[in-house]
């Protein structure tokens, strides 16, 4: 059994490769829910859906999120009504959020809801997509314009405001699910996906007991850097890291996982950082970590599984 921690697009790209190389071995994807947001009265869980859509073969590959061949008529209709339309939701994607909101309102957990959605989309039976918690956690960004939900910062404000801080709301009251803890404790390998270390991996590790469970586990613990040439491929990892006073390097990412990490995988372009990673007591592996197509993700996944 392999357990991977991740967020949205970066995680989903890698997990697609991993699922192609592990055969029928059980794979648990523990997914960040700090990006969850309520829009139009609907609970949207972008990272969970991104992972389910990609691993079931239904993702819009061009965008990396949302459903293939989706249309946006509902959003246009909402715009005519004066609704807020800065967050793009396709028509078929809306159905997922309506379904989730309805179930959650009836007391069904995030975990059970994700499992139902995954089954409906035909996720392979050996893969489980596990929301990190059944409690509500939201990532908010502190900026000179005030505090705003991460999605508002990312999508509505297009990452323009300066980042002064990151607040994980309600994280202190949220618990990892039993399924998440079991997935960590039972794994022979724990993989930190090439996801944003602050707002994708950070919330998962921020849940009480998750970090301890990882440290106590006898599994091999491997992380893949989300930075190539010391920059994210897309998204705000650099802005968030800088905003928190961190360096934007793979060494810095490794340092964030230093208390439990065995191996840090970095790109050939960042090979010069290998020695510094070794000095942290973490084994560096230098290889091609860019995943423009599923074949390259599978090649990276093979390099990872070879270490287990
Ligand atoms: P998000 O919710 O969509 O931001 O999902 P993640 O946190 O899982 O992924 C964002 C991170 O994925 C960014 O920091 C990117 O640099 C990283 N990423 C995207 N594509 C690739 C890739 O092909 N290779 C690697 N190593 N990282 C990638
Ligand atoms: Ca995300």
């Amino acid at each position: 059994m392999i357990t991977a921690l991740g967020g949205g697009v970066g995680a989903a790209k890698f997990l697609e490769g991993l699922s192609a190389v592990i055969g029928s071995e059980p794979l648990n994807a523990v997914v960040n829910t700090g990006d969850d947001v309520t829009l139009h009265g609907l609970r949207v869980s972008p990272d969970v859906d991104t992972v389910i859509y990609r691993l079931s073969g239904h993702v819009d590959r061009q965008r990396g999120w949302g459903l293939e061949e989706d249309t946006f008529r509902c959003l246009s209709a909402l715009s005519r009504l004066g609704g807020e339309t800065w967050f793009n939701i396709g028509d078929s994607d809306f159905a997922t959020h309506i379904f989730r909101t309805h179930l959650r309102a009836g007391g069904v957990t995030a975990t059970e809801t994700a499992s139902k959605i995954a089954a409906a989309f035909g996720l392979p039976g050996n893969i489980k997509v596990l929301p990190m918690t059944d409690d509500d956690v939201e990532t908010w960004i502190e900026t000179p314009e005030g505090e705003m939900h991460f999605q508002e910062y990312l999508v509505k404000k297009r990452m323009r405001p300066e980042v002064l801080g990151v607040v994980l709301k309600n994280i202190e009251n949220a618990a990892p699910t039993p399924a998440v803890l079991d997935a960590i404790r039972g794994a022979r390998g724990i993989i930190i996906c090439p996801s944003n270390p602050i707002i994708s991996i950070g919330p998962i590790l921020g849940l009480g007991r998750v970090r301890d469970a990882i440290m106590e586990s006898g599994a091999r613990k491997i992380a893949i850097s989300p930075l190539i040439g010391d920059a994210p491929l897309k998204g705000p990892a650099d802005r968030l890291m800088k905003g928190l006073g961190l360096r934007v390097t793979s060494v810095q990412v490794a340092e964030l996982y230093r208390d439990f990490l065995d191996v840090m995988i970095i790109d050939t372009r960042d090979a010069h950082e290998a020695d510094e990673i070794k000095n942290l007591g973490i084994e560096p592996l230098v290889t091609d970590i860019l995943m423009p197509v599923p074949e390259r993700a599978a090649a990276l996944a093979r390099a990872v599984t070879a270490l287990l």
Side-chain angles (χ1 to χ4, degrees), residues 7-9 32 35 46-47 150-151 154 199-200:
V9 177
N32 169 49
D35 283 13
D47 288 353
F150 170 67
Q151 299 299 350
L154 179 76
I199 46 131
S200 290

Side-chain angles (χ1 to χ4, degrees), residues 13-14 16-18 20-21 265 285 287-291 293-306:
K13 282 164 80 176
F14 174 72
E16 183 177 42
L18 188 60
V21 305
I265 307 185
L285 176 76
T287 187
D288 172 18
I289 64 167
L290 184 64
M291 303 175 287
V293 290
E295 294 70 34
R296 298 266 290 274
L300 176 57
R302 248 179 252 115
V304 172
T305 52

Side-chain angles (χ1 to χ4, degrees), residues 8 19 49 60 69 74 78 97 114 124 158 177 238 244-245 289 297 300:
S19 70
D49 290 345
D60 181 310
E69 290 169 17
C74 185
L78 275 167
H97 312 319
R158 297 179 189 281
T177 64
D238 51 347
L244 297 182
I289 64 167
L300 176 57

